Amino acid sequence: MQITVNNQIHELDDIAITLTQLLNQMNVPEAGTAIARNQNVVPRSQWDESTLENGDQILIIRATAGG
């Protein structure tokens, strides 16, 4: 399966992978993270149920502290 994450193409062996599993594979902590799938923000409460599909466009945004 092929998806795009932050404008980079990724090939995934898993056919049924959730957003939570994707973050774990990419070593991205959940705290301070927001995800959009195909230009729609996905609430954190839905990450465990949101299964990726071939061609999905994922945007992962990390909040950072500072000024």
Side-chain angles (χ1 to χ4, degrees), residues 3-65:
I3 63 170
T4 303
V5 179
N6 293 358
N7 296 318
Q8 294 184 356
I9 296 172
H10 292 265
E11 292 285 341
L12 301 176
D13 294 332
D14 297 326
I15 294 175
I17 183 173
T18 66
L19 289 172
T20 299
Q21 292 168 327
L22 176 66
L23 289 180
N24 289 336
Q25 283 186 8
M26 297 182 71
N27 294 319
V28 176
E30 290 185 30
T33 299
I35 300 176
R37 177 181 180 194
N38 301 323
Q39 299 181 349
N40 294 304
V41 174
V42 180
R44 183 181 307 267
S45 62
Q46 296 178 9
W47 290 1
D48 287 336
E49 300 130 20
S50 296
T51 304
L52 297 175
E53 296 179 13
N54 190 46
D56 275 349
Q57 303 245 344
I58 306 299
L59 177 63
I60 299 173
I61 301 170
R62 295 270 307 135
T64 56

